[in-house]
Amino acid sequence: MNVSKSDEQVVAKKAGGLNPAIILPILYVIALAIYLFLFGNPSNFKADPNISGASVAFADVESKELHPESFMGIIYMGGPVVHILVLFMITVVVFSLERFFILGKAAGKGNLDNFVVKVRSLLNQNKINEALEECDRQEGSVGNVVKEGLTTYKALSTDTTLNKEQKMVALNKAIEEATTLEMPMLEKNMMILSTLGTVATLVALLGTVIGMIKAFFALGSGGGTPDAAALSIGISEALINTALGIGTSAIAIILYNYFTSKIDGLTYKIDEIAMSIQQSFAEFN
């Protein structure tokens, strides 16, 4: 039945994709660089004689000498929590692109709906070899599972040691095992999108609380005369973190649901053809 060969191919496929343990530290460095050198670039702030050139990028966000004159400068004023939220955003983008290409590859080279129709038609005519050729042309996770089922179908057709009921059990088991081996590749890194959909909001809330603490501290300091600059910085920091966190969370949730729907669609196609294989086997054997 060539089960071992198929298993080796599927395991090799599962080894593909991005490794979070390697990618996340790299993305953190990129996010920190974006925060310091893009958002904190001196060109994003009004010139001040008390601060020299590049030192603006490392200046204290609470410094009253920082006067942002661009949107990037305003984001920089959100404080150090911003670079964590930037990390979350680019992580969502990177792993979403990865899932997009992986799931596209899993669907195969041809139109998946046409593939299902062709295979079911060939099964109704008991043309197993032609159906196997369609699987070779389609490739992808769906093609791999169907090919494994058809290979088992072909082997069991000539097996004289098992009765029909035992053959049906063996066929069903082969399809289930092939599907189980393909699923990890489809669902890999989906947990990252799911987690960021929740965590981004919580981190943003942390940044919001920190900003409001600074705002109220400025309001209560100064012996009855509130520090207007410090108050506005604290409020802006809170709102910036809120906006970044909500935006990141919304995008992560939308993309997670989109990819989950794609995976469910692939699984449904596999189940649809698997049922046709079992029905065909019961009819012709």
Side-chain angles (χ1 to χ4, degrees):
M1 296 181 191
N2 298 322
V3 175
S4 59
K5 181 179 179 181
S6 176
D7 289 353
E8 290 176 1
Q9 292 173 343
V10 175
V11 170
K13 283 177 173 288
K14 289 191 294 182
L18 298 178
N19 185 344
I22 297 175
I23 297 299
L24 290 178
I26 296 175
L27 294 182
Y28 177 80
V29 173
I30 294 174
L32 186 59
I34 290 173
Y35 173 68
L36 292 177
F37 301 111
L38 181 61
F39 297 151
N41 192 289
S43 63
N44 297 325
F45 301 88
K46 295 178 182 178
D48 192 287
N50 298 320
I51 298 182
S52 61
S55 63
V56 174
F58 300 97
D60 186 353
V61 172
E62 297 179 15
S63 173
K64 300 178 182 61
E65 287 80 12
L66 285 181
H67 302 290
E69 59 178 7
S70 71
F71 184 70
M72 289 186 180
I74 293 173
I75 295 177
Y76 179 78
M77 299 299 288
V81 176
V82 167
H83 86 279
I84 300 297
L85 295 173
V86 171
L87 169 63
F88 290 168
M89 176 63 77
I90 60 178
T91 299
V92 169
V93 172
V94 169
F95 284 99
S96 294
L97 290 174
E98 183 233 21
R99 287 295 88 198
F100 179 80
F101 289 113
I102 291 295
L103 293 179
K105 186 178 179 181
K109 294 182 177 180
N111 183 279
L112 192 55
D113 291 329
N114 291 340
F115 170 71
V116 172
V117 172
K118 287 180 181 179
V119 172
R120 294 187 66 180
S121 176
L122 292 170
L123 285 171
N124 290 335
Q125 302 171 57
N126 198 31
K127 295 181 178 179
I128 306 304
N129 291 329
E130 289 82 350
L132 284 169
E133 292 174 1
E134 286 293 332
C135 293
D136 290 334
R137 283 191 288 268
Q138 182 70 17
E139 298 184 355
S141 294
V142 178
N144 290 338
V145 174
V146 176
K147 183 177 180 179
E148 183 63 30
L150 292 174
T151 302
T152 305
Y153 180 116
K154 190 174 179 179
L156 290 173
S157 297
T158 58
D159 192 320
T160 58
T161 62
L162 301 175
N163 59 40
K164 187 171 184 177
E165 183 177 347
Q166 291 173 324
K167 289 180 180 180
M168 290 294 296
V169 171
L171 177 60
N172 185 55
K173 182 179 179 181
I175 296 173
E176 288 181 353
E177 289 178 350
T179 304
T180 301
L181 287 171
E182 289 288 344
M183 289 307 295
M185 184 192 72
L186 300 179
E187 297 177 346
K188 183 179 179 181
N189 295 330
M190 287 292 291
M191 184 59 68
I192 293 177
L193 296 179
S194 175
T195 301
L196 291 181
T198 302
V199 173
T201 305
L202 297 178
V203 173
L205 180 60
L206 174 63
T208 301
V209 171
I210 293 174
M212 294 308 297
I213 289 173
K214 291 179 181 178
F216 281 111
F217 180 79
L219 187 63
S221 64
T225 304
D227 188 334
L231 176 62
S232 62
I233 288 175
I235 294 175
S236 65
E237 180 176 339
L239 296 178
I240 290 166
N241 283 293
T242 300
L244 288 175
I246 291 175
T248 300
S249 178
I251 293 172
I253 291 172
I254 291 171
L255 290 173
Y256 174 80
N257 289 333
Y258 170 75
F259 292 126
T260 298
S261 177
K262 293 272 289 184
I263 293 172
D264 290 343
L266 292 175
T267 304
Y268 175 78
K269 297 298 183 185
I270 291 173
D271 292 340
E272 185 178 357
I273 300 182
M275 184 175 295
S276 296
I277 292 174
Q278 293 168 351
Q279 292 174 346
S280 176
F281 188 86
E283 180 179 352
F284 295 104
N285 293 276

